Amino acid sequence: MNANTSRQHPAEWDQEAQLLSQTARDLPTGRHQFHKERLMAQIHEQAQQVQREERAAATAPLKARRFRLPRPAITLPAMAAALSAAVIAGVVTVGGDGSGVRDSGVATGPALTTDVGTASTKGVPQLLDQISLAAAEGEHPTVKPGQYIYIESVLADTFLKTVDDKTSLASHELHRRQMWESPDGVKGWLIDPAVNDSPEGETLSLPDEQGNTPKAHLGSPSYDYLVKLTKDPDELLAKIYKETKGQGNTPDQQAFATIGDLLAESYPPAELYPALFEAAAKIPGVVVVDDAVDATGRHGVAVARLDDTSGAREEWIFDKKTHVYLGTRTVQVKQLKGEDALIKPGTVTFTMAIKNRAVVDGMKQTPSQAG
């Protein structure tokens, strides 16, 4: 499906809603909203595949990918876009047991916009080499058993919102997200007002209530998994292409997005960074954007790639002097058609800034509490 795909018939919407309702009922109280957010990310990633594959991605892969940050939904059909907005805004009621999606408390506002900026292929290898050196030389303690990786970020997004058959562009305000994960990926905790039913957050520890303990993989990596990844950039890139085959709009864009996700909300060991950035340099279409702004307003230089299908450019933003990773954003570059034309060039569909990434000794402990 692309921006020109015809919209689904209301009868198909009912079928999708029934599937979503069944999925929610199978989850313990307080967990369905988090998994529905992941479902929306899955629908976007599989937008170029048939509906059967989209529905298959709505079940088992959810648990395996529960830690992933939400990705912008740019080429969704009307039903999926409306449902995605409704899930986060808290206006959909699901399940036959009376449970429903709460009001997330994250208000909606006008669309997020920015200057598109100028992209160039000049200097891409040199910049990635500088970024790689900075990442490897930075403070990067080893995570020991019993410790937790703590990642604090702020994020916001812009989306198509449909109410009473009227579609408009809205955004979720910038909000704080905190995540803890054990090095083996078995224990975790998330606090995100756009996701959680409680301000205290929710457990993400495994096994889940059905006894499932999914294995870590590129789409949902643990620290221990990343430690064991090949450090050879060619082998790493080949693995990424192989394991993400059929995902995303194109193989190259999905490979770029996969590396970007590893940078955003995981904790790669220092020795893996050179391989990640060298692999990124080998992906066709990678460019440099001289000026990009993260979610907190910090200016930096971005390593980016344009998705020709969606017309959106994913940007990894780094400090211009220190080359430290600041965050990521997705900017609409090309004009879309139909209702998607509301997402005009310059619209920021997703923005995230890393505020803190550290190793702590306890679940829900912050670096300041650790002294």
Side-chain angles (χ1 to χ4, degrees):
M1 303 175 192
N2 56 34
N4 299 320
T5 303
S6 60
R7 304 295 178 178
Q8 290 178 305
H9 189 274
E12 295 179 87
W13 301 4
D14 293 337
Q15 294 174 1
E16 296 280 0
Q18 291 172 9
L19 174 64
L20 187 58
S21 175
Q22 180 181 355
T23 302
R25 287 197 300 270
D26 291 338
L27 294 171
T29 302
R31 296 293 296 276
H32 60 273
Q33 183 176 353
F34 181 84
H35 288 284
K36 279 185 289 186
E37 182 197 42
R38 300 280 113 22
L39 173 61
M40 292 306 100
Q42 283 292 309
I43 291 176
H44 173 57
E45 289 183 357
Q46 303 294 335
Q48 295 304 299
Q49 297 189 32
V50 295
Q51 189 176 39
R52 176 183 60 80
E53 292 173 315
E54 291 179 338
R55 293 182 178 182
T59 53
L62 291 176
K63 294 184 178 65
R65 295 167 52 84
R66 70 196 187 288
F67 291 120
R68 288 284 296 276
L69 282 163
R71 302 193 66 81
I74 295 176
T75 59
L76 294 178
M79 184 284 299
L83 183 57
S84 177
V87 164
I88 304 178
V91 297
V92 173
T93 299
V94 296
D97 56 0
S99 63
V101 180
R102 68 178 186 86
D103 183 345
S104 69
V106 181
T108 60
L112 308 172
T113 60
T114 188
D115 292 331
V116 172
T118 303
S120 173
T121 57
K122 184 179 180 180
V124 172
Q126 292 84 351
L127 176 60
L128 284 169
D129 186 53
Q130 292 172 331
I131 291 170
S132 175
L133 290 174
E137 292 174 358
E139 184 178 354
H140 212 91
T142 300
V143 189
K144 301 175 182 178
Q147 292 185 312
Y148 292 86
I149 297 159
Y150 170 75
I151 300 176
E152 178 184 349
S153 60
V154 292
L155 61 155
D157 66 325
T158 297
F159 55 91
L160 290 175
K161 179 180 180 180
T162 300
V163 178
D164 296 330
D165 296 326
K166 183 178 180 181
T167 302
S168 60
L169 205 59
S171 68
H172 290 112
E173 67 182 10
L174 193 69
H175 61 278
R176 184 189 192 196
R177 175 181 170 101
Q178 294 171 282
M179 193 189 78
W180 291 261
E181 184 181 8
S182 60
D184 60 6
V186 172
K187 296 181 179 181
W189 193 269
L190 176 72
I191 300 177
D192 185 337
V195 175
N196 303 139
D197 287 324
S198 166
E200 287 76 27
E202 64 179 289
T203 181
L204 298 174
S205 297
L206 300 171
D208 62 19
E209 289 75 3
Q210 287 74 43
N212 300 312
T213 305
K215 293 184 179 180
H217 56 90
L218 281 171
S220 181
S222 66
Y223 175 79
D224 291 347
Y225 173 87
L226 294 175
V227 168
K228 296 177 181 178
L229 272 182
T230 177
K231 309 307 185 292
D232 181 279
D234 292 312
E235 293 179 2
L236 179 60
L237 189 59
K239 179 180 179 66
I240 291 172
Y241 275 107
K242 180 179 179 180
E243 295 194 10
T244 63
K245 184 178 180 180
Q247 298 178 22
N249 287 333
T250 66
D252 292 335
Q253 188 63 32
Q254 184 58 37
F256 186 80
T258 298
I259 296 176
D261 287 342
L262 295 180
L263 299 176
E265 200 168 65
S266 68
Y267 190 79
E271 59 271 18
L272 182 61
Y273 275 108
L276 287 173
F277 291 120
E278 287 182 42
K282 297 174 182 290
I283 299 173
V286 175
V287 297
V288 172
V289 179
D290 286 338
D291 187 51
V293 185
D294 75 1
T296 62
R298 297 177 296 189
H299 286 257
V301 59
V303 176
R305 192 179 190 282
L306 176 66
D307 183 342
D308 287 327
T309 303
S310 68
R313 187 174 65 204
E314 180 174 340
E315 302 175 350
W316 311 336
I317 306 172
F318 301 86
D319 185 273
K320 291 183 179 181
K321 294 182 179 180
T322 65
H323 297 110
V324 170
Y325 177 79
L326 300 179
T328 184
R329 71 175 183 178
T330 303
V331 179
Q332 190 66 28
V333 174
K334 295 182 178 180
Q335 181 64 54
L336 301 176
K337 296 181 180 180
E339 287 186 350
D340 293 326
L342 291 169
I343 307 175
K344 299 183 182 300
T347 301
V348 179
T349 54
F350 178 74
T351 180
M352 183 276 293
I354 293 292
K355 299 292 290 182
N356 203 337
R357 196 188 315 246
V359 177
V360 295
D361 294 326
M363 182 88 81
K364 293 187 281 185
Q365 182 186 72
T366 64
S368 60
Q369 293 171 333

